[in-house]
Amino acid sequence: MPGMHPVLAGHTGFLLSRVGGKARRRFAARLADVGLNFRMWGALSVLDAEGPITQQALGRCVGIDPSSMVATIDALEAAGLVERRPHPSDRRAHALAITPAGRATLADGRRLAADAQEELLSLLSAEERGQLHQTLLKLATA
Amino acid sequence: MPGMHPVLAGHTGFLLSRVGGKARRRFAARLADVGLNFRMWGALSVLDAEGPITQQALGRCVGIDPSSMVATIDALEAAGLVERRPHPSDRRAHALAITPAGRATLADGRRLAADAQEELLSLLSAEERGQLHQTLLKLATA
DNA sequence: TATTGTTATACTCTATAACTATA
DNA sequence: TATAGTTATAGAGTATAACAATA
């Protein structure tokens, strides 16, 4: 942003919050082109990688709490991208499954997410990107 | 966070959004001890550094839009930390000024913000912190 | 005409608490 | 007793549009 005051630009935590919000908004704006929001994209990505899984297990992987997960899966199911199937051994739970349409949308979503990331990080060298990624990974898993 | 899936942990943009949110929540939790939220702290910090300034000019420095600025200044004024004084040459505008109580609260806020940042970045070496800061600065000012 | 501050409004994201049906 | 999913709800945070007073 133009016009950020030096007294704030000196705070790493402030910058982190600011840049994080910018990243989220840019991702969301791109993903909206295929009808996904940030959380739908995350859930769909993990579901594709993991196969059938319960809502709450998926939520733990993506960082979405159980009650917020309901709305996320509702939206994905309404769009035909995910199915709630009966869980084979626990009648309380659902076995979530990505549909063929879900895989197709996810493929588009991946491209859009890659575009958004490229826009965001275009000023950084490959080395800077690598360092940033490693550092963020430490902070995220702490 | 424990349990973040590799397919998401591989996205720098996802990590940025996640860690940014974590930073914001931690700052907010600490600052709440002195009655400040994240935006009040930013506005108070810049106001202290800049002296009398209009609401919208302050908003541009902190990254708050004019309509959100109203509520932020309302809260600061209700707490006695800021005063809306008449602007000397423009009767539409206010000249915002930090009060002595505002300076005292800001001093506490600075300590709490420093604590929050230390908690957040404790896993990083001084060199990693410096690199992270420079990289975020590039991304924030782009 | 343009700008400052304001109000009303709405939308997103997130979290909490309570409920049901199962385990 | 505990857990999976659900519902209702509420609180941030943020943005938009329209307005009055003033430039």
Side-chain angles (χ1 to χ4, degrees):
Chain A
M1 284 294 293
M4 184 164 50
H5 196 277
V7 80
L8 299 177
H11 277 268
T12 306
F14 181 86
L15 292 178
L16 212 38
S17 167
R18 178 62 59 91
V19 175
K22 191 172 173 176
R24 170 172 294 253
R25 282 188 295 276
R26 188 154 312 194
F27 265 63
R30 289 306 203 110
L31 292 170
D33 290 352
V34 290
L36 296 177
N37 64 28
F38 195 69
R39 291 196 289 183
M40 289 164 79
W41 172 78
L44 207 54
S45 296
V46 173
L47 196 54
D48 180 57
E50 285 300 312
I53 187 176
T54 66
Q55 280 185 201
Q56 294 190 19
L58 180 56
R60 282 189 293 272
C61 291
V62 188
I64 304 176
D65 88 347
S67 75
S68 302
M69 203 66 207
V70 175
T72 303
I73 301 301
D74 282 351
L76 286 169
E77 200 173 31
L81 309 180
V82 159
E83 280 179 8
R84 282 180 169 106
R85 297 183 183 158
H87 190 284
S89 63
D90 186 340
R91 292 205 298 169
R92 294 172 306 180
H94 298 142
L96 299 178
I98 189 169
T99 65
R103 284 189 217 281
T105 297
L106 181 56
D108 292 338
R110 274 199 235 279
R111 276 191 291 274
L112 294 171
D115 290 349
Q117 181 155 305
E118 178 55 35
E119 283 173 26
L120 202 67
L121 305 182
S122 60
L123 291 178
L124 305 184
S125 69
E127 189 190 0
E128 284 174 315
R129 293 185 195 203
Q131 283 173 349
L132 175 63
H133 191 88
Q134 288 310 309
T135 300
L136 290 173
L137 208 48
K138 277 193 193 177
L139 297 178
T141 57
Chain B
M1 284 293 292
M4 184 164 51
H5 196 278
V7 79
L8 298 177
H11 277 269
T12 306
F14 182 86
L15 292 177
L16 213 37
S17 167
R18 178 63 59 89
V19 175
K22 191 172 174 176
R24 171 172 293 253
R25 281 188 296 275
R26 187 153 314 194
F27 265 62
R30 288 307 202 108
L31 291 170
D33 290 351
V34 289
L36 296 177
N37 63 28
F38 194 70
R39 292 195 288 183
M40 289 163 78
W41 170 78
L44 208 53
S45 296
V46 172
L47 196 53
D48 180 58
E50 286 301 309
I53 188 177
T54 66
Q55 281 186 200
Q56 293 190 19
L58 181 55
R60 282 188 292 272
C61 290
V62 188
I64 304 176
D65 88 346
S67 76
S68 302
M69 203 67 206
V70 175
T72 303
I73 302 300
D74 282 353
L76 286 169
E77 199 172 33
L81 309 180
V82 160
E83 280 179 7
R84 282 179 168 108
R85 297 183 183 158
H87 189 283
S89 64
D90 185 339
R91 293 205 298 169
R92 294 172 306 180
H94 299 141
L96 299 178
I98 189 168
T99 66
R103 285 188 216 282
T105 297
L106 181 57
D108 292 338
R110 274 199 236 278
R111 276 192 291 274
L112 294 171
D115 289 350
Q117 181 155 306
E118 179 53 36
E119 283 173 28
L120 202 67
L121 305 182
S122 60
L123 290 178
L124 305 184
S125 69
E127 189 190 359
E128 285 174 315
R129 293 185 195 202
Q131 283 174 348
L132 175 63
H133 192 88
Q134 288 310 310
T135 300
L136 290 173
L137 208 48
K138 276 193 194 178
L139 296 179
T141 56

